[in-house]
Amino acid sequence: MSFFETRRLTKAFGGLTAVNDLSFQVEKGEIYGLIGPNGSGKTTVFNLITGYFPVTSGSIVFEGKELNGLPTWKICKEGIGRTFQVVKPLRRMTVFENVMASAFNRASSQSEARSRTMEVLEFCELTKKKDFSAKGLTIGDRKRLEIARALATGPRLLLLDETMAGLTPQEQAEGVELIRRIRDTGITIIIVEHIMHVIMNICDRILCINYGQEIARGVPEEVANNQAVIEAYLGKD
């Protein structure tokens, strides 16, 4: 039994099929990459996994349990956390308060939530900024806060949606190190990313999709050299 899998996952919006008969498996402890050109359906896959969109057909199975039809909060309780492409922290709250709000997903008391929050802030190297207002953070720190909020929910599977977008090369390198440290704690990761040198260096395996369908899968080198992948990104010419 796979740690996580989708089985013939399909999502249609009227006459548009955004995800089409997509099946893949992720093993426990992997960093699994999901790539494809803009509009290929990557974020839609994340939205299906986390219950933001209902599945048209197919199934999503996590640790042997089918997730179809569960609300987003129950999926989070099951152990799946995520970040979002466009980060939207609780702007009027501090960094600490943002993370603590997420910590209540598992904490049964305020003291437990505070303790969990401090652990996550230290892990994400945000302790010195815990009292900063979220609206005043740089894009790099907002991205890091987004990851911290997801980690505070206590996930066993973490979905990262373009966490490197807009970052400087130094911030990207720091972000890669953070993702590797997250995996080292035992959390499995599925990552959507457009920055190819990041995705190719960090992932154990990669799935490339276009128009919601699989066009290639394998280890990074195999996918990078696949002609269908090259054409999807750059065109046949």
Side-chain angles (χ1 to χ4, degrees):
M1 181 183 69
S2 296
F3 179 70
F4 173 85
E5 64 180 310
T6 67
R7 301 170 181 166
R8 308 197 70 175
L9 188 63
T10 298
K11 177 59 182 177
F13 297 96
L16 172 67
T17 302
V19 177
N20 191 356
D21 201 33
L22 188 65
S23 299
F24 66 94
Q25 298 179 338
V26 180
E27 300 303 327
K28 186 174 177 59
E30 272 194 302
I31 298 179
Y32 192 90
L34 181 60
I35 68 170
N38 287 330
S40 59
K42 304 180 298 297
T43 295
T44 300
V45 171
F46 274 16
N47 286 334
L48 293 171
I49 293 170
T50 52
Y52 284 86
F53 294 157
V55 171
T56 300
S57 64
S59 59
I60 300 164
V61 181
F62 177 53
E63 295 185 317
K65 181 175 182 178
E66 188 166 315
L67 301 182
N68 295 43
L70 292 182
T72 55
W73 67 271
K74 280 194 175 180
I75 292 171
C76 188
K77 283 281 190 184
E78 289 292 332
I80 298 180
R82 72 170 292 183
T83 66
F84 290 84
Q85 230 175 16
V86 180
V87 294
K88 293 182 178 179
L90 303 169
R91 292 172 55 82
R92 296 182 181 180
M93 297 171 72
T94 65
V95 168
F96 182 91
E97 290 166 340
N98 266 266
V99 178
M100 187 170 174
S102 297
F104 275 107
N105 181 61
R106 301 220 175 267
S108 56
S109 66
Q110 190 174 77
S111 61
E112 185 181 350
R114 285 183 175 275
S115 176
R116 174 62 179 163
T117 298
M118 288 306 299
E119 288 176 7
V120 171
L121 289 174
E122 183 175 356
F123 183 85
C124 293
E125 298 178 347
L126 284 170
T127 307
K128 292 181 179 179
K129 298 180 180 180
K130 68 182 181 68
D131 296 321
F132 284 26
S133 172
K135 67 181 178 182
L137 296 177
T138 65
I139 182 63
D141 284 337
R142 288 203 302 272
K143 293 275 188 174
R144 195 166 283 255
L145 174 59
E146 184 81 351
I147 293 173
R149 293 170 70 195
L151 288 177
T153 67
R156 296 185 299 283
L157 174 64
L158 179 62
L159 313 182
L160 299 176
D161 196 352
E162 295 197 35
T163 56
M164 304 294 173
L167 302 188
T168 67
Q170 178 61 34
E171 288 170 334
Q172 289 174 19
E174 292 168 354
V176 166
E177 176 59 27
L178 175 59
I179 291 169
R180 286 182 172 142
R181 288 196 291 113
I182 291 170
R183 193 261 296 273
D184 289 345
T185 68
I187 296 173
T188 303
I189 296 169
I190 305 177
I191 181 170
V192 165
E193 189 55 68
H194 276 296
I195 302 172
M196 285 299 103
H197 74 85
V198 168
I199 204 86
M200 293 297 167
N201 285 319
I202 202 173
C203 292
D204 299 298
R205 293 186 297 143
I206 295 173
L207 170 67
C208 183
I209 64 174
N210 198 17
Y211 300 108
Q213 295 179 297
E214 175 186 339
I215 60 174
R217 72 169 72 198
V219 298
E221 186 177 358
E222 291 173 334
V223 174
N225 292 317
N226 186 287
Q227 188 60 32
V229 174
I230 294 168
E231 290 179 1
Y233 275 93
L234 302 177
K236 292 186 177 181
D237 293 337

